[in-house]
Amino acid sequence: MILLDGCRVVVTMDEAGTELENASILIDGGVIRWVGRGRPPLGEPPEVLDGRGLVALPGLINAHHHLYQTHTRVHAQQGGLFDWLSELYPIWATIDADWERTAAEVGLAELALSGCSTTTDHHYVFPAGTAGLLEAEVEVAARVGLRFHPCRGSMDLGQSSGGLPPDGVVEDIDTILAATEAAIQRFHNPAPGSMCRIAVGPCSPFSVSERLMRESAELARQREVRLHTHIAETLDEEAFCQATFGRRPLELLEDLGFLGEDVWLAHCVHVNDADIRRMAATRTAVAWCPTSNMRLGSGFAPAREMIDAGVRVGLAVDGSASNDGGNLLAEVRQAMLTTRARKGAAAMTARQALRVATRGGAACLGRDDIGTIEVGKRADIALFATDGLTHRGAEADPVAALVFCNPGPVRHLFVEGKPVVRDGQLVNLNKVGVR
Ligand SMILES: [Zn+2]
């Protein structure tokens, strides 16, 4: 039992957006038992953590990532998506379990230190002859202590079949479906409070056959796991879909049975009003990746419009080769600023951006037990100090300061009631990314 005592502000992120000043949170057995001002109803004396001066947020939730890319930052610096991918595929063709483990250590450490308590990962590169890739990142996430939703990703459309990736990094459909089924069997835990859930993630329209998309969706529904893919990221992709399938990317997904409340889609940059209505009507969620979309020159996802239309939108750092970082709080700032650049200074508040990165992420991952600080929810809590140099002069609104000012590291991070970051240090990981 731990009492996070006397926090300067507890941002509950509940439906009404309640914020409690000088409030405390009682954690017991991985669950939030009490939130409020004054003294909690205590049975036994708990461990007490001094929350004075700290802002408590629900742990941030990262809705799209490619951890293996952490070892390939700053490549193809002037390349758009297709050029960038074409330069990187041959390097990624050499990955192995050791690469995956060390990349996951770096990527998950970065996320944790930015206040992220839950992340997905979309791993879709399985070069012939490699083994243990998904297993490696599942092991690292468990060791670091983060809640993890890895996608067993896939590509089956190599260059010789009209796809973008070289043939050496794609697999055949039977291998993919069998490996996905095996991953679900081995790692997926559907129970409340689950620390690991598998999703099915064929990569993108230009690297996956229509048959694999359809059969992936069927498998996910049969096994009651979530479905994920990249869509509508660039105009090149839209042109590819029109030329190859005679349809826009979202139309293609609809025809393939790939929309629904069990689906979340990365990017959705080039979507029109009809696409947005289709996503809202089908309760399909979106992982918004502002930094990656700017880095590759892909454009700006109309996140404000999607949210206003009732689409459930979460936030994501995307892979570390197209973000060149994995700081989710920095991404919250990007989300707010890019929205303002598009739609004016009133278009997104700091709190709205934080809401996307918490409740929105929970919706992407199909979780109703995380994303808020409320009694009965899992105890995933990020505590940030706002007394450092970057927050000097921002005392008037410490919550807004977390987003408006340059992002500082998390002071303490709890996941499932257990400390993952304590006093700014990772609790369970000493050597990070050593190969
Ligand atoms: Zn991605």
Side-chain angles (χ1 to χ4, degrees):
M1 187 183 288
I2 307 167
L3 181 67
L4 312 180
D5 190 32
C7 302
R8 181 165 176 197
V9 187
V10 173
V11 182
T12 69
M13 216 54 87
D14 66 5
E15 192 66 44
T18 307
E19 292 179 10
L20 300 168
E21 294 195 3
N22 301 314
S24 304
I25 304 164
L26 185 67
I27 297 171
D28 188 15
V31 173
I32 297 168
R33 295 292 177 200
W34 177 86
V35 185
R37 293 198 197 86
R39 303 315 302 165
L42 293 173
E44 52 187 293
E47 179 188 349
V48 175
L49 186 140
D50 187 356
R52 281 177 298 176
L54 303 180
V55 176
L57 296 177
L60 304 180
I61 297 169
N62 181 42
H64 184 66
H65 207 341
H66 310 289
L67 287 164
Y68 76 93
Q69 294 181 6
T70 305
H71 289 318
T72 53
R73 290 170 175 166
V74 301
H75 281 264
Q77 293 176 15
Q78 277 70 47
L81 179 67
F82 283 10
D83 289 341
W84 173 87
L85 282 170
S86 298
E87 182 172 325
L88 282 163
Y89 282 137
I91 303 173
W92 295 340
T94 68
I95 66 173
D96 59 15
D98 200 37
W99 170 303
E100 189 72 30
R101 174 183 60 78
T102 49
E105 286 176 355
V106 175
L108 294 174
E110 276 190 294
L111 282 171
L113 291 169
S114 73
C116 172
S117 55
T118 298
T119 185
T120 182
D121 189 59
H122 188 187
H123 190 86
Y124 54 85
V125 178
F126 293 89
T130 57
L133 300 180
L134 195 71
E135 291 84 347
E137 60 177 21
V138 169
E139 181 275 321
V140 175
R143 190 148 44 89
V144 175
L146 292 190
R147 216 179 278 287
F148 197 37
H149 282 232
C151 305
R152 204 303 179 176
S154 54
M155 301 192 290
D156 72 330
L157 198 67
Q159 272 164 11
S160 62
S161 311
L164 189 71
D167 290 352
V169 294
V170 305
E171 304 170 281
D172 67 77
I173 292 187
D174 291 344
T175 304
I176 290 165
L177 294 175
T180 307
E181 182 111 42
I184 296 167
Q185 187 72 30
R186 182 164 173 199
F187 297 118
H188 184 73
N189 175 7
S194 169
M195 292 295 289
C196 188
R197 287 187 188 166
I198 301 289
V200 181
C203 188
S204 60
F206 51 85
S207 61
V208 173
S209 67
E210 287 189 73
R211 186 183 148 212
L212 178 57
M213 290 294 280
R214 279 186 206 284
E215 296 193 10
S216 295
E218 281 167 20
L219 173 65
R221 278 154 189 156
Q222 229 173 50
R223 300 302 306 263
E224 297 184 343
V225 301
R226 295 182 75 73
L227 259 180
H228 184 53
T229 193
H230 294 98
I231 203 73
E233 181 172 357
T234 66
L235 290 173
D236 287 347
E237 177 200 322
E238 188 173 305
F240 178 94
C241 286
Q242 290 286 12
T244 311
F245 309 109
R247 283 161 287 178
R248 295 172 43 71
L250 256 291
E251 293 168 343
L252 175 68
L253 284 192
E254 184 166 46
D255 290 349
L256 294 171
F258 221 95
L259 299 181
E261 61 182 334
D262 56 350
V263 179
W264 88 107
L265 304 172
H267 301 302
C268 295
V269 172
H270 298 285
V271 288
N272 61 25
D273 290 348
D275 295 334
I276 292 174
R277 282 196 298 274
R278 196 172 285 130
M279 286 189 284
T282 54
R283 295 187 55 73
T284 306
V286 172
W288 176 23
C289 310
T291 299
S292 170
N293 296 151
M294 288 191 284
R295 198 278 205 191
L296 295 175
S298 307
F300 299 100
R304 179 74 268 169
E305 293 88 329
M306 290 194 272
I307 294 166
D308 290 344
V311 178
R312 302 175 304 163
V313 176
L315 192 65
V317 297
D318 200 1
S320 296
S322 63
N323 180 312
D324 310 280
N327 186 318
L328 191 51
L329 185 60
E331 204 65 34
V332 176
R333 187 167 190 253
Q334 294 278 48
M336 180 184 80
L337 296 179
T338 59
T339 303
R340 288 168 175 233
R342 289 183 57 240
K343 306 287 286 181
M348 184 162 282
T349 68
R351 288 167 171 83
Q352 287 167 338
L354 286 168
R355 205 172 178 84
V356 171
T358 51
R359 291 176 71 106
C364 283
L365 300 183
R367 303 282 309 221
D368 59 6
D369 55 349
I370 56 174
T372 68
I373 299 179
E374 295 179 286
V375 172
K377 296 288 171 110
R378 311 312 298 188
D380 293 5
I381 296 162
L383 294 141
F384 289 92
T386 55
D387 58 355
L389 203 59
T390 58
H391 296 111
R392 198 75 58 79
E395 292 81 6
D397 188 343
V399 179
L402 292 177
V403 183
F404 273 83
C405 303
N406 275 322
V410 76
R411 176 69 60 85
H412 310 292
L413 177 70
F414 290 87
V415 182
E416 191 69 1
K418 299 190 181 80
V420 170
V421 178
R422 204 75 185 255
D423 294 318
Q425 302 294 317
L426 291 160
V427 174
N428 305 311
L429 208 55
N430 298 320
K431 290 182 180 167
V432 177
V434 178
R435 281 204 265 181

